[in-house]
Amino acid sequence: MIILNKLLKFFSAFMVFFITACEATVEDTPTAKQPSKEMGQVIIAEGVSKKSNPAVPQQKNEIQPSEPEKEEVEKEQTEKEEKKGEKEKEKEKEIPKELPKDKYEKPKTTSFLNWGESQYWTKLKTVAETAATFYQNNGNGFTLLSKEGKLYNSSTDSYVTINYFINHGFLGEDFSDFPCDILLLKGSDIEDIEVPSSALNVGIFTAIRQPSGNKVMLCSSKEKIGVISEESYQKLLNKYEASHGAVTKLSPSMEEYERILNFIRVYEGNYDNYYVRDIRMDKKYAVVTFSTRNTTSNVKQYVLVNEDGFWEVAISNLDVQSNLDYAINSVLPDFNLSLLPPYNISFYKNDMIADFSEILKSMIFYELIEQQTQVEYICATTNYCYIVLYGGEKYLGKKQNEDWDIKKVKSASDAINSMELDNKNAPTFIILDE
């Protein structure tokens, strides 16, 4: 019996050992492994069973980081995140953000400086064409003049610039930084280069400093002219200085008075004497107001220019020009406009009287003369008359209602002063010079 119990105990132990061995064999077999629930799951410590059972509490032998180590890890992670944030900000700075666009994008002056000369010529010609059209359409109305060689608006007392054309819609905003000069001068005055025949007369030109170097590019409204030095450019503008010495009013006793009349006689082909009303001159120009002896109502006004000591007629029709400043400047840009007398003959053309019978009858009635043959000179408008007798007596008449009030005056100067008291622009060209 005792032997049987020992055999049972041995058999039980053998079975326990056999079952345990089988279980271990099953666990180590690859096919018995349980797959991980998440890809990339981190194994914290070696030697821990690969079976994952969240319900089972963590084994005591699992290695856990100490508190100082946790702080170090968190600090490193924080620094990494901060560096990552800084890199992302730098990348954002490198990406250019689109700026809001204006109606017109204004290129800076530097952008023009980077252009080649071909673009400069194109711009210069466009501005010249615009200015030439403006001058042609508005020159007389606005009194556009050449002042020191540049285009000048006498009506507004200012130079005409790029900004004027931009502000009035003649040019686009892309011209706002194109610093060119707008000129009004004679192409024949441009030295050092051959000027095309189409640009020899007075006209619009544009000028700008060359993109590289110290020279100036010149262009007309039709074609490019050429490149000159800055010194030559300044010399060109200096030619349009309007001061040519003091203005002098000549008297018949002066030698130059008769010389000027002789040049007019040659020009007109009439070698008779004239009834001269006024001659004014400086060292370059002269303005002469006169009539023939047989038709005193046909008053003429000429501008003469002195070329190497010889007077030549430059303008012969001032007496029909309503805008004298523009009419002269458009032909003679350097003319001193202060040479002009205060009156404008064209304003009185329709008021000139050719039949003096009414005036002469009034003089006879008031016993100023006995007969018409006593009168050497007479010239009149509808409101004023001036009479000189052969004896030298002088009379000024003014129309009062329907009658002539005719009074004796001491001199031509007295007659002029009396008329200018009535109107500073009175037709004093009826007064015979003395």
Side-chain angles (χ1 to χ4, degrees):
M1 192 67 179
I2 295 170
I3 296 170
L4 181 60
N5 288 335
K6 290 182 178 180
L7 289 172
L8 287 172
K9 289 180 180 179
F10 176 78
F11 180 77
S12 298
F14 175 79
M15 291 301 293
V16 170
F17 174 79
F18 178 78
I19 290 170
T20 304
C22 290
E23 288 177 352
T25 303
V26 171
E27 284 181 0
D28 293 336
T29 302
T31 56
K33 286 185 179 180
Q34 296 296 322
S36 176
K37 291 184 179 179
E38 294 181 4
M39 295 297 294
Q41 185 175 5
V42 179
I43 298 175
I44 298 177
E46 293 183 357
V48 179
S49 175
K50 294 182 180 180
K51 290 183 179 180
S52 178
N53 188 357
V56 179
Q58 197 173 21
Q59 298 295 325
K60 291 182 179 180
N61 62 346
E62 183 177 349
I63 300 174
Q64 295 291 330
S66 63
E67 288 299 320
E69 289 176 340
K70 282 184 179 179
E71 292 177 358
E72 186 68 20
V73 170
E74 289 176 354
K75 183 177 180 181
E76 290 178 357
Q77 187 173 359
T78 302
E79 290 177 353
K80 288 181 179 178
E81 290 178 352
E82 289 177 352
K83 289 181 179 179
K84 183 178 180 181
E86 291 176 357
K87 288 182 179 179
E88 290 178 351
K89 288 181 180 179
E90 290 177 356
K91 287 183 179 179
E92 289 178 357
K93 289 180 181 179
E94 292 175 357
I95 301 174
K97 294 183 179 180
E98 186 175 354
L99 298 174
K101 295 182 179 180
D102 296 330
K103 184 176 180 182
Y104 297 103
E105 294 183 354
K106 299 181 180 180
K108 297 181 179 179
T109 305
T110 53
S111 66
F112 287 98
L113 295 177
N114 293 328
W115 288 1
E117 287 195 5
S118 60
Q119 291 94 331
Y120 267 67
W121 287 122
T122 300
K123 285 282 186 180
L124 282 174
K125 189 171 183 294
T126 300
V127 177
E129 289 173 346
T130 301
T133 301
F134 176 72
Y135 178 69
Q136 182 179 358
N137 294 339
N138 303 284
N140 189 26
F142 290 179
T143 312
L144 299 177
L145 308 174
S146 174
K147 186 174 183 180
E148 298 175 349
K150 298 181 180 180
L151 185 61
Y152 177 80
N153 189 338
S154 180
S155 301
T156 59
D157 193 24
S158 61
Y159 287 101
V160 180
T161 64
I162 286 284
N163 289 337
Y164 179 89
F165 293 127
I166 294 173
N167 294 337
H168 290 79
F170 297 113
L171 289 173
E173 288 286 339
D174 55 329
F175 282 84
S176 60
D177 290 326
F178 189 64
C180 74
D181 292 336
I182 301 174
L183 313 174
L184 179 60
L185 45 79
K186 280 185 177 180
S188 58
D189 285 335
I190 302 173
E191 300 177 354
D192 302 333
I193 55 176
E194 184 176 352
V195 178
S197 58
S198 61
L200 292 175
N201 296 325
V202 175
I204 294 292
F205 295 82
T206 48
I208 193 170
R209 181 176 286 122
Q210 209 174 19
S212 59
N214 61 344
K215 294 190 176 182
V216 177
M217 303 164 64
L218 290 171
C219 186
S220 74
S221 60
K222 297 181 180 179
E223 55 194 313
K224 69 178 184 180
I225 301 303
V227 180
I228 61 176
S229 67
E230 290 193 18
E231 182 181 359
S232 295
Y233 180 62
Q234 191 58 51
K235 184 179 178 182
L236 173 64
L237 297 183
N238 290 341
K239 290 183 179 181
Y240 295 90
E241 171 58 49
S243 178
H244 306 292
V247 176
T248 304
K249 186 173 179 179
L250 304 184
S251 67
S253 61
M254 295 181 177
E255 181 180 350
E256 199 65 16
Y257 188 98
E258 191 60 31
R259 286 186 75 242
I260 289 173
L261 287 180
N262 284 334
F263 284 102
I264 291 177
R265 292 185 181 103
V266 172
Y267 178 83
E268 289 209 324
N270 184 351
Y271 296 92
D272 293 335
N273 290 325
Y274 296 102
Y275 281 136
V276 178
R277 320 305 168 80
D278 187 273
I279 298 180
R280 302 168 186 235
M281 62 168 285
D282 58 19
K283 291 183 179 180
K284 187 171 183 179
Y285 294 107
V287 179
V288 184
T289 308
F290 66 99
S291 73
T292 58
R293 285 182 173 265
N294 57 353
T295 312
T296 60
S297 60
N298 184 20
V299 182
K300 300 179 182 181
Q301 195 170 58
Y302 286 2
V303 175
L304 283 71
V305 58
N306 192 324
E307 298 285 354
D308 299 324
F310 294 91
W311 290 101
E312 298 179 0
V313 175
I315 302 175
S316 61
N317 61 347
L318 275 190
D319 47 276
V320 298
Q321 301 295 334
S322 59
N323 190 330
L324 295 179
D325 289 0
Y326 172 76
I328 296 176
N329 187 268
S330 61
V331 179
L332 307 171
D334 66 332
F335 179 88
N336 185 356
L337 294 172
S338 64
L339 262 177
L340 290 171
Y343 49 76
N344 188 319
I345 298 172
S346 70
F347 291 170
Y348 298 96
K349 278 290 184 181
N350 295 329
D351 293 335
M352 299 302 296
I353 295 175
D355 183 1
F356 308 115
S357 58
E358 182 183 349
I359 298 172
L360 295 174
K361 287 178 182 178
S362 180
M363 291 186 72
I364 292 173
F365 179 81
Y366 289 105
E367 298 182 348
L368 299 175
I369 59 173
E370 294 179 356
Q371 53 189 0
Q372 297 181 7
T373 55
Q374 291 179 257
V375 175
E376 177 183 7
Y377 168 86
I378 182 170
C379 188
T381 65
T382 53
N383 294 317
Y384 294 96
C385 68
Y386 185 72
I387 305 102
V388 179
L389 304 184
Y390 280 104
E393 296 90 343
K394 302 171 182 65
Y395 295 89
L396 175 65
K398 298 180 181 180
K399 193 72 173 286
Q400 303 291 340
N401 297 322
E402 296 299 322
D403 298 324
W404 283 98
D405 180 20
I406 303 174
K407 294 181 179 179
K408 189 174 183 178
V409 292
K410 294 181 179 179
S411 65
S413 296
D414 288 343
I416 291 172
N417 291 337
S418 178
M419 292 175 67
E420 288 182 342
L421 285 175
D422 299 336
N423 178 7
K424 65 178 182 178
N425 303 120
T428 55
F429 56 82
I430 67 171
I431 308 298
L432 183 64
D433 201 4
E434 60 180 24

